[in-house]
Amino acid sequence: MSYNTFGHLFRVTTWGESHGPALGATVDGCPPGVALDAGMLQHWLDRRKPGQSRHTTQRREPDAVEILSGVYEGHTTGTPIQLMIRNVDQRSRDYGNIADTFRPGHADITYFQKYGLRDPRGGGRSSARETAARVAAGGVARAVLQSLLPDLRIMGYMVAMGPHRIDRARFDASQIDQNPFWVPDAQAAEDWARVLDRTRKDGNSLGALIEVTASGAPAGLGAPVYAKLDTDLAAAMMSINAVKGVEIGAGMDAASLTGTENADEIDMGADGPVYRTNKAGGILGGISTGQELVVRFAVKPTSSITTPRDSILRDGSPNTVVTKGRHDPCVGIRAVPVAEAMMACVLLDHLLLHRAQTGATGPLGDIGA
Amino acid sequence: MSYNTFGHLFRVTTWGESHGPALGATVDGCPPGVALDAGMLQHWLDRRKPGQSRHTTQRREPDAVEILSGVYEGHTTGTPIQLMIRNVDQRSRDYGNIADTFRPGHADITYFQKYGLRDPRGGGRSSARETAARVAAGGVARAVLQSLLPDLRIMGYMVAMGPHRIDRARFDASQIDQNPFWVPDAQAAEDWARVLDRTRKDGNSLGALIEVTASGAPAGLGAPVYAKLDTDLAAAMMSINAVKGVEIGAGMDAASLTGTENADEIDMGADGPVYRTNKAGGILGGISTGQELVVRFAVKPTSSITTPRDSILRDGSPNTVVTKGRHDPCVGIRAVPVAEAMMACVLLDHLLLHRAQTGATGPLGDIGA
Amino acid sequence: MSYNTFGHLFRVTTWGESHGPALGATVDGCPPGVALDAGMLQHWLDRRKPGQSRHTTQRREPDAVEILSGVYEGHTTGTPIQLMIRNVDQRSRDYGNIADTFRPGHADITYFQKYGLRDPRGGGRSSARETAARVAAGGVARAVLQSLLPDLRIMGYMVAMGPHRIDRARFDASQIDQNPFWVPDAQAAEDWARVLDRTRKDGNSLGALIEVTASGAPAGLGAPVYAKLDTDLAAAMMSINAVKGVEIGAGMDAASLTGTENADEIDMGADGPVYRTNKAGGILGGISTGQELVVRFAVKPTSSITTPRDSILRDGSPNTVVTKGRHDPCVGIRAVPVAEAMMACVLLDHLLLHRAQTGATGPLGDIGA
Amino acid sequence: MSYNTFGHLFRVTTWGESHGPALGATVDGCPPGVALDAGMLQHWLDRRKPGQSRHTTQRREPDAVEILSGVYEGHTTGTPIQLMIRNVDQRSRDYGNIADTFRPGHADITYFQKYGLRDPRGGGRSSARETAARVAAGGVARAVLQSLLPDLRIMGYMVAMGPHRIDRARFDASQIDQNPFWVPDAQAAEDWARVLDRTRKDGNSLGALIEVTASGAPAGLGAPVYAKLDTDLAAAMMSINAVKGVEIGAGMDAASLTGTENADEIDMGADGPVYRTNKAGGILGGISTGQELVVRFAVKPTSSITTPRDSILRDGSPNTVVTKGRHDPCVGIRAVPVAEAMMACVLLDHLLLHRAQTGATGPLGDIGA
């Protein structure tokens, strides 16, 4: 993992800026012979696409993905897959007035400080538009996983928006695709729509808590000590724009548990070990247990807001920033498909790593055999 | 970052098992000409060393580190530095009875499943003894940082043990080294001693919350997009044994903030930008702002407890596990020096990455110039 | 270095097939603030472009490069640079008849064996068209080197075509750009034109020997032990299509020397050590001496020839292969600009590595000071 | 591949200096469950061990290897394997007089220039003693290959010493282990003994040409484009001390061939394709064909000779160097077991890479099926 590349064997390098001609992902290390076409990727991109409800940025991007290499007659060839998405609706004029401005809470200032120059149009490389490339690459990972782990199911959803949490008692996975918040709680979806409308009108924004799970992953994935499955999932999620915290299973709350509470007791089931609880989030010692993998992360509120905030200009003089333009009032919403894509990439990468070292796609050690 | 290696340029590969003859770290990519001897590393190892109070494992390990290569006449030569720590007090008999046993909440089961065999003595590779090697390597990083960033100060401490949090109003950094909990609150230290004695007598264990900060790091460290400073810090901390969650600045709480609350407003100070708050934890867009870096992580309670827990044996039959031996009742305590070491390694690695790309050890972009 | 990525810090990932819609290079790790535009890259691509004389393939490709990311207002931003070259003149029909055919001496058979399928159009990923992407990436490296090492001069040229060697006594660097063979010997250029015309008419092809040198590189570049400068140069050149051998300085002939002959004796000059000879090719112990770097490599003759060769079909039945299409009678000719590009990439990569570890772009140790 | 680590998945990091307390290799990524003990590694180390004949250095090193981690009850556990070899016979006094001296043709000067300081004792990190660690690591690779590719046979031998070449007509593999030169030609062994005695008495040294082959490797190994099997073999061999050129199959001579000569024509055999010749050296397009792999490389003559050579001192003043001490008169001899070890490491690494991407240890594409 380095700079703009993610993954050990299934390696994704994303490139492109918010207002450049295009952005995309170079996917290397993909297994050969997997059915793949642009339509399969477009399916996932359409979920992340902006402008699908009044709750996300009104920038109109078709996010149409082209496959430029690595696929022949509908199958991957094992060579690098280049995925390109043209930027269509760049209104750079919206951003012209902030070329010398640093939005509080935004990467404007650090990119300038690090490099001595920056592409200020729409946030340049630090824009959440980069995540479109991740979703496209995640689509490739899903196509491969479909053939290697047909029972795998990855599911992302919001569990909180600002201070508003879902009621776990009302959890209904079938609701996730039925509302613009990817929230598994119909009541929350209704409430949050009102909350977010008000927030936007107030010139403000909200943070979010996202959960992404994977069921059907075998025991044995994960590579101690510095490429643990949870280490790589934490890195994957933390690399998404605006993420400030990542947790696995009980997560930060694990700190307040006792050993007896934290121990997921084990019974023998028909197909192997069965755990009574899942405080571990499906990972022990960096290696998957075969239980559901549970990752949660916090997305900070969008820093581009119309409420004035104090800042400085590049020359050091004081400045009050009011960010117009077409911004997500809760950027966490669109992080859901991105998190699913990162989960897919990490799981495939670890499946390949495990296969490399052991020759198997599942556990070598057979309990109860 | 792959398998047992951490870092992009300052690369640390740890090796060794809890009850093998030795463990250690191979440190590659270290700058040449830095003053280094074993005593400088021993200073840090002595902080993590077990058996220093009744609150940690009673295993008696001197943790004496030897430098086998890469140092000549007291200075680093730029070639790999091999650090070796002999295991001295391995009582394998303590563990003999659990060779076919899987402690609930422990990596016993996943190591066996992944590899088909495991070194069960003291947890083998999954033991927290591995972290001694990290502390040694962190000592090398500190020696280099001392010469490159003399004002850098890294400070780790506990902020919660089980459900007991420190009172931030009583925060006193000078207390950290004065108690066995590395807690910056004298009252908490006193209270926690009683709590932990009782927990141990009850055959139980407790989780912990650790915070590690770094002040004096320049703006500009961090490498977008998949080697962001926060991404690498999250990976570094999540790779430590028993860690279940990592957060930067406001962390998980960022989810419940509004954009106005989250914006760290900026003024111009004598030496550059000054931020009124630090919700960002010193990182924006994956790049350091020059503010204090603030990382927090949760350590789950030790899974080796004497309270019986239900599990299965390798043959699938039911089993009740009671783990004797010499275990930490709160393994989070000894995670404090480990976290400091990981912070040092990440910062040095990013300093070298930044220097590679830009030629500087600080920001290229000069605000107010 | 892995799969389709080359380099440690200045990392080039090439992608694309001979007859796909496009090919290109993703360049990551480039320093910021370097002047760069497509024209600067086109200059180098035009040198490699096919169809410039009757001695190379008659495929008509403009090889027009587009910069899709990483450059803003004419300067690199430090983020990934995506370089795309559209394929224009793909006549797939030329290759239709060899979809199940394996040309002797060609990667047709191994790609099929490895992956179970292949893109047969024009050799797919194994085509020398991939090298256009290298030349584009090399152009980026040159732009950076221009600012960091203004005195650096990279020069590639042919020293043999088939059994015909240049006469070193007639070496004239100014001739290199004056003939279609990049040969520093006007007489050889004249002779070789006749030889190659005859070879082509005979339905045959010829191998070549290429030399590429770099003067003006500082002492101190190279990273022992497994990323030695010569190791990385050998890897760089061996990765070029059809290369079968690589040598540094005296090269394979070093085997037949005595120690006294091989020792490049040293005198002290005004600006540092001066060597009486250069058997070392500018590299000792994997680190540059400051002398001219001298690399030489052999390119095998093009395997696509019209003289019938015995082979088998995919079903195992015997087959006689006669390869029509538009092939280079001496593919080594166009390897010259490719080798220069690889030299530029390796030198920049090592300059960044050296800067990372030492903070300098030249030697730390000062002789005679 | 970076700095002191070699390999993508089977990763070997060597460490240690000629006259430090120890040297060794950290081997990461090794498959689990493979039978391994120190004796199996010692077998290979004993072949490289100095002082076994009058033709190699008289330094007396037992080169006894200890396994410090990663092996439990005689089997690999899948965790890092630390291999340590104590240095026993360091006579630093032999080298004291050259602390400020730079031997012509030696890395003395470049290490000093690069790092500003160096460990001068016995050449420090640049000493050929580093290769003992490679041989130990190669022993691990061989143990794994034994289980995955039982028919694989790796064979290294000298084909020239100085200007003296073997007579291929007398090639007899059974002779290789019967003489101190690893030469497959009994007559050459006898002649070379006389030649080398005279060379040593003359205060001189000789270069060598080594060939290393592997039969029984499946088709399909190799990872285009920048981790081709030949690319990685070239890097592996070029990284060995004193190597100045590497070639595959016809090698440098491929430059002088015609296309008809170079084409290895193909017939269908009982078990797949059979090639009439092997100009390719078993590799096409960077991927193995299933034929014998043939690598050849040149080792320059030892630079430490007793014949005076002109040089300079660290202060720039002129100096005549006469290197006493215990040096190999032909360092190429001991490169034979080292080259075999590198071949083993590269093949295992590529076998794991292939298995990761395709799930198989052999070709996916079945010709004639």
mmCIF file of all heavy atoms in Angstrom, chain A residues 81-97:
data_model
loop_
_atom_site.group_PDB
_atom_site.id
_atom_site.type_symbol
_atom_site.label_atom_id
_atom_site.label_comp_id
_atom_site.label_asym_id
_atom_site.label_seq_id
_atom_site.Cartn_x
_atom_site.Cartn_y
_atom_site.Cartn_z
ATOM 1 N N ILE A 81 -6.315 -3.827 -15.736
ATOM 2 C CA ILE A 81 -7.617 -3.330 -16.182
ATOM 3 C C ILE A 81 -7.653 -1.834 -15.924
ATOM 4 O O ILE A 81 -7.537 -1.397 -14.775
ATOM 5 C CB ILE A 81 -8.743 -4.045 -15.407
ATOM 6 C CG1 ILE A 81 -8.667 -5.558 -15.644
ATOM 7 C CG2 ILE A 81 -10.104 -3.499 -15.808
ATOM 8 C CD1 ILE A 81 -9.587 -6.365 -14.744
ATOM 9 N N GLN A 82 -7.779 -1.075 -16.995
ATOM 10 C CA GLN A 82 -7.862 0.378 -16.828
ATOM 11 C C GLN A 82 -9.318 0.800 -16.911
ATOM 12 O O GLN A 82 -9.999 0.517 -17.899
ATOM 13 C CB GLN A 82 -7.048 1.089 -17.909
ATOM 14 C CG GLN A 82 -7.015 2.607 -17.779
ATOM 15 C CD GLN A 82 -6.453 3.094 -16.447
ATOM 16 O OE1 GLN A 82 -7.187 3.511 -15.560
ATOM 17 N NE2 GLN A 82 -5.150 2.984 -16.296
ATOM 18 N N LEU A 83 -9.780 1.464 -15.865
ATOM 19 C CA LEU A 83 -11.166 1.933 -15.790
ATOM 20 C C LEU A 83 -11.149 3.453 -15.833
ATOM 21 O O LEU A 83 -10.485 4.091 -15.012
ATOM 22 C CB LEU A 83 -11.798 1.465 -14.481
ATOM 23 C CG LEU A 83 -11.709 -0.044 -14.210
ATOM 24 C CD1 LEU A 83 -12.205 -0.357 -12.804
ATOM 25 C CD2 LEU A 83 -12.512 -0.808 -15.253
ATOM 26 N N MET A 84 -11.857 4.035 -16.789
ATOM 27 C CA MET A 84 -11.856 5.492 -16.929
ATOM 28 C C MET A 84 -13.267 6.041 -16.858
ATOM 29 O O MET A 84 -14.187 5.506 -17.466
ATOM 30 C CB MET A 84 -11.197 5.904 -18.243
ATOM 31 C CG MET A 84 -11.127 7.427 -18.397
ATOM 32 S SD MET A 84 -10.227 7.972 -19.883
ATOM 33 C CE MET A 84 -11.350 7.435 -21.154
ATOM 34 N N ILE A 85 -13.405 7.135 -16.107
ATOM 35 C CA ILE A 85 -14.678 7.841 -15.974
ATOM 36 C C ILE A 85 -14.426 9.290 -16.368
ATOM 37 O O ILE A 85 -13.617 9.974 -15.734
ATOM 38 C CB ILE A 85 -15.178 7.768 -14.516
ATOM 39 C CG1 ILE A 85 -15.435 6.311 -14.115
ATOM 40 C CG2 ILE A 85 -16.442 8.607 -14.332
ATOM 41 C CD1 ILE A 85 -15.572 6.111 -12.613
ATOM 42 N N ARG A 86 -15.075 9.723 -17.420
ATOM 43 C CA ARG A 86 -14.906 11.113 -17.840
ATOM 44 C C ARG A 86 -15.630 12.041 -16.871
ATOM 45 O O ARG A 86 -16.751 11.757 -16.454
ATOM 46 C CB ARG A 86 -15.522 11.302 -19.239
ATOM 47 C CG ARG A 86 -14.754 10.635 -20.354
ATOM 48 C CD ARG A 86 -13.613 11.529 -20.824
ATOM 49 N NE ARG A 86 -12.848 10.863 -21.895
ATOM 50 C CZ ARG A 86 -11.636 11.267 -22.269
ATOM 51 N NH1 ARG A 86 -11.049 12.298 -21.697
ATOM 52 N NH2 ARG A 86 -11.002 10.634 -23.223
ATOM 53 N N ASN A 87 -15.004 13.145 -16.528
ATOM 54 C CA ASN A 87 -15.717 14.198 -15.810
ATOM 55 C C ASN A 87 -16.494 15.006 -16.825
ATOM 56 O O ASN A 87 -15.953 15.406 -17.856
ATOM 57 C CB ASN A 87 -14.743 15.110 -15.065
ATOM 58 C CG ASN A 87 -14.165 14.448 -13.843
ATOM 59 O OD1 ASN A 87 -14.874 13.749 -13.122
ATOM 60 N ND2 ASN A 87 -12.880 14.652 -13.598
ATOM 61 N N VAL A 88 -17.753 15.266 -16.552
ATOM 62 C CA VAL A 88 -18.616 15.914 -17.529
ATOM 63 C C VAL A 88 -19.076 17.269 -17.033
ATOM 64 O O VAL A 88 -19.017 18.263 -17.735
ATOM 65 C CB VAL A 88 -19.828 14.992 -17.820
ATOM 66 C CG1 VAL A 88 -20.864 15.728 -18.648
ATOM 67 C CG2 VAL A 88 -19.367 13.729 -18.553
ATOM 68 N N ASP A 89 -19.491 17.310 -15.777
ATOM 69 C CA ASP A 89 -20.147 18.518 -15.259
ATOM 70 C C ASP A 89 -19.232 19.277 -14.308
ATOM 71 O O ASP A 89 -19.526 19.458 -13.128
ATOM 72 C CB ASP A 89 -21.459 18.085 -14.565
ATOM 73 C CG ASP A 89 -22.262 19.291 -14.069
ATOM 74 O OD1 ASP A 89 -22.010 20.412 -14.538
ATOM 75 O OD2 ASP A 89 -23.134 19.093 -13.204
ATOM 76 N N GLN A 90 -18.082 19.718 -14.833
ATOM 77 C CA GLN A 90 -17.186 20.505 -13.983
ATOM 78 C C GLN A 90 -17.517 21.982 -14.138
ATOM 79 O O GLN A 90 -17.241 22.557 -15.195
ATOM 80 C CB GLN A 90 -15.714 20.315 -14.358
ATOM 81 C CG GLN A 90 -15.293 18.915 -14.682
ATOM 82 C CD GLN A 90 -15.222 18.678 -16.171
ATOM 83 O OE1 GLN A 90 -16.226 18.803 -16.886
ATOM 84 N NE2 GLN A 90 -14.050 18.317 -16.643
ATOM 85 N N ARG A 91 -18.036 22.587 -13.133
ATOM 86 C CA ARG A 91 -18.229 24.039 -13.193
ATOM 87 C C ARG A 91 -17.136 24.704 -12.373
ATOM 88 O O ARG A 91 -17.360 25.098 -11.234
ATOM 89 C CB ARG A 91 -19.574 24.423 -12.583
ATOM 90 C CG ARG A 91 -20.779 23.829 -13.272
ATOM 91 C CD ARG A 91 -22.011 24.563 -12.773
ATOM 92 N NE ARG A 91 -23.191 23.725 -12.909
ATOM 93 C CZ ARG A 91 -24.272 23.856 -12.167
ATOM 94 N NH1 ARG A 91 -24.330 24.790 -11.224
ATOM 95 N NH2 ARG A 91 -25.311 23.061 -12.336
ATOM 96 N N SER A 92 -15.994 24.854 -12.982
ATOM 97 C CA SER A 92 -14.863 25.380 -12.210
ATOM 98 C C SER A 92 -15.153 26.780 -11.683
ATOM 99 O O SER A 92 -14.633 27.174 -10.642
ATOM 100 C CB SER A 92 -13.590 25.417 -13.057
ATOM 101 O OG SER A 92 -13.186 24.120 -13.370
ATOM 102 N N ARG A 93 -16.014 27.502 -12.403
ATOM 103 C CA ARG A 93 -16.288 28.869 -11.954
ATOM 104 C C ARG A 93 -16.834 28.901 -10.525
ATOM 105 O O ARG A 93 -16.613 29.830 -9.782
ATOM 106 C CB ARG A 93 -17.259 29.552 -12.904
ATOM 107 C CG ARG A 93 -18.568 28.791 -13.101
ATOM 108 C CD ARG A 93 -19.338 29.340 -14.290
ATOM 109 N NE ARG A 93 -20.499 28.519 -14.601
ATOM 110 C CZ ARG A 93 -20.444 27.345 -15.235
ATOM 111 N NH1 ARG A 93 -19.278 26.853 -15.609
ATOM 112 N NH2 ARG A 93 -21.547 26.660 -15.491
ATOM 113 N N ASP A 94 -17.532 27.851 -10.137
ATOM 114 C CA ASP A 94 -18.032 27.800 -8.774
ATOM 115 C C ASP A 94 -16.906 27.911 -7.752
ATOM 116 O O ASP A 94 -17.129 28.323 -6.628
ATOM 117 C CB ASP A 94 -18.750 26.477 -8.508
ATOM 118 C CG ASP A 94 -20.129 26.434 -9.142
ATOM 119 O OD1 ASP A 94 -20.632 27.514 -9.561
ATOM 120 O OD2 ASP A 94 -20.685 25.338 -9.216
ATOM 121 N N TYR A 95 -15.740 27.483 -8.140
ATOM 122 C CA TYR A 95 -14.659 27.384 -7.169
ATOM 123 C C TYR A 95 -13.612 28.476 -7.312
ATOM 124 O O TYR A 95 -12.719 28.602 -6.500
ATOM 125 C CB TYR A 95 -13.987 26.009 -7.285
ATOM 126 C CG TYR A 95 -14.951 24.900 -6.984
ATOM 127 C CD1 TYR A 95 -15.676 24.281 -7.986
ATOM 128 C CD2 TYR A 95 -15.189 24.523 -5.667
ATOM 129 C CE1 TYR A 95 -16.594 23.286 -7.697
ATOM 130 C CE2 TYR A 95 -16.101 23.534 -5.363
ATOM 131 C CZ TYR A 95 -16.800 22.911 -6.389
ATOM 132 O OH TYR A 95 -17.708 21.941 -6.100
ATOM 133 N N GLY A 96 -13.744 29.247 -8.388
ATOM 134 C CA GLY A 96 -12.736 30.256 -8.681
ATOM 135 C C GLY A 96 -12.454 31.162 -7.496
ATOM 136 O O GLY A 96 -11.313 31.527 -7.230
ATOM 137 N N ASN A 97 -13.488 31.503 -6.752
ATOM 138 C CA ASN A 97 -13.302 32.454 -5.665
ATOM 139 C C ASN A 97 -12.598 31.875 -4.448
ATOM 140 O O ASN A 97 -12.361 32.574 -3.481
ATOM 141 C CB ASN A 97 -14.658 33.047 -5.256
ATOM 142 C CG ASN A 97 -15.607 31.963 -4.734
ATOM 143 O OD1 ASN A 97 -15.499 30.794 -5.118
ATOM 144 N ND2 ASN A 97 -16.506 32.356 -3.860
#
